[in-house]
Amino acid sequence: MKSFAVIGLGRFGTSLSTTLYEMGHEVLCIDENPDHIKAIEGSVTHAIQADASDPAVLSELGIRNFDTVVVSIGAELETAILITLLCKEQGCRCIVAKAATELHAKILSKIGADKVVLPEKAMGVRVAHSLAASNVLDFTELAPGYSMAEIDCPEAWQNKTLMQLNLRARFGITVIAIRHGRDMIASPCADDLVQAGDVLIVVGKNDRLTKLESKHLQD
């Protein structure tokens, strides 16, 4: 079990907090709005109404003792910067900050955030890929230039082994798992057969995945 402190209970912060709690982790939520605190009580470990931009408050809450602190105040850049700096000064081990724009993300990274997320951008990318190719069920960026996609097995790939498909050589992608109904084949071997209804979880460079979606999945 890990411990998380989430500062800011907008839609992103609330969803993140409740999901982490449901996964069995310790979650402390901090927000100035009493309605936000009331709405999440009982769905996380602790929910406290407080001003996280006050260093005394962060110190009293023992913010430095949490495994990860999430600053989810993406729309208020000045407040997000201040809280990120305060968390850094108090010795927090890992600070994740939410950003509204690429510029905000660069600033937060420079002032000490260990990781910056742009949830709206990420969701937009995922939806765009799912709309552009009907076979693409999900799309997640793993690192700059590389992503993971879930692909509903095209008819042309059905009843063939991974060796016969030769996806790495043909398209530059690697199959890391095959979901067959409720079963999951992790690290599939060359002899594993791909069947109708299977979902292939693949990783590769973004340009290779985009080319695959736009051309080969439409054939």
Side-chain angles (χ1 to χ4, degrees):
M1 180 179 71
K2 294 183 177 181
S3 59
F4 297 86
V6 180
I7 302 172
L9 291 175
R11 285 177 294 180
F12 173 76
T14 298
S15 177
L16 176 70
S17 299
T18 55
T19 301
L20 287 170
Y21 182 72
E22 289 170 0
M23 294 170 66
H25 300 293
E26 177 187 351
V27 182
L28 166 69
C29 293
I30 308 169
D31 196 288
E32 285 189 285
N33 190 320
D35 293 332
H36 291 172
I37 296 299
K38 184 177 180 180
I40 206 169
E41 284 180 340
S43 299
V44 294
T45 312
H46 302 288
I48 297 174
Q49 180 189 352
D51 180 7
S53 64
D54 184 343
V57 168
L58 296 179
S59 179
E60 184 178 348
L61 293 174
I63 202 74
R64 67 187 303 274
N65 298 320
F66 287 84
D67 294 317
T68 301
V69 177
V70 182
V71 182
S72 60
I73 311 174
E76 301 172 22
L77 180 59
E78 290 185 8
T79 305
I81 289 174
L82 175 58
I83 294 174
T84 300
L85 284 170
L86 290 174
C87 289
K88 196 72 176 178
E89 288 177 357
Q90 298 215 11
C92 294
R93 284 167 279 183
C94 178
I95 303 170
V96 178
K98 174 192 171 186
T101 68
E102 293 281 1
L103 178 58
H104 292 180
K106 289 180 180 180
I107 294 171
L108 290 166
S109 293
K110 287 184 179 296
I111 57 110
D114 298 286
K115 181 176 182 179
V116 179
V117 295
L118 291 96
E120 291 187 0
K121 177 186 176 182
M123 182 55 69
V125 170
R126 294 171 73 174
V127 172
H129 281 273
S130 66
L131 292 176
S134 58
N135 292 80
V136 177
L137 305 178
D138 202 356
F139 189 94
T140 305
E141 188 173 27
L142 301 175
Y146 290 85
S147 296
M148 177 178 68
E150 295 186 18
I151 300 174
D152 191 12
C153 180
E155 185 176 352
W157 295 4
Q158 293 172 13
N159 301 315
K160 294 181 180 179
T161 65
L162 292 180
M163 180 182 292
Q164 291 173 319
L165 291 173
N166 200 18
L167 299 178
R168 182 180 298 179
R170 291 168 61 198
F171 307 131
I173 63 173
T174 301
V175 179
I176 60 172
I178 300 173
R179 190 164 67 237
H180 182 71
R182 295 184 177 180
D183 297 325
M184 177 74 78
I185 303 173
S187 300
C189 63
D191 294 330
D192 281 318
L193 190 70
V194 178
Q195 305 175 51
D198 283 356
V199 174
L200 280 69
I201 302 173
V202 305
V203 296
K205 291 184 177 180
N206 291 345
D207 58 345
R208 298 298 184 92
L209 291 170
T210 300
K211 182 179 179 181
L212 178 69
E213 295 166 15
S214 61
K215 181 179 179 181
H216 300 287
L217 293 185
Q218 304 299 328
D219 294 340

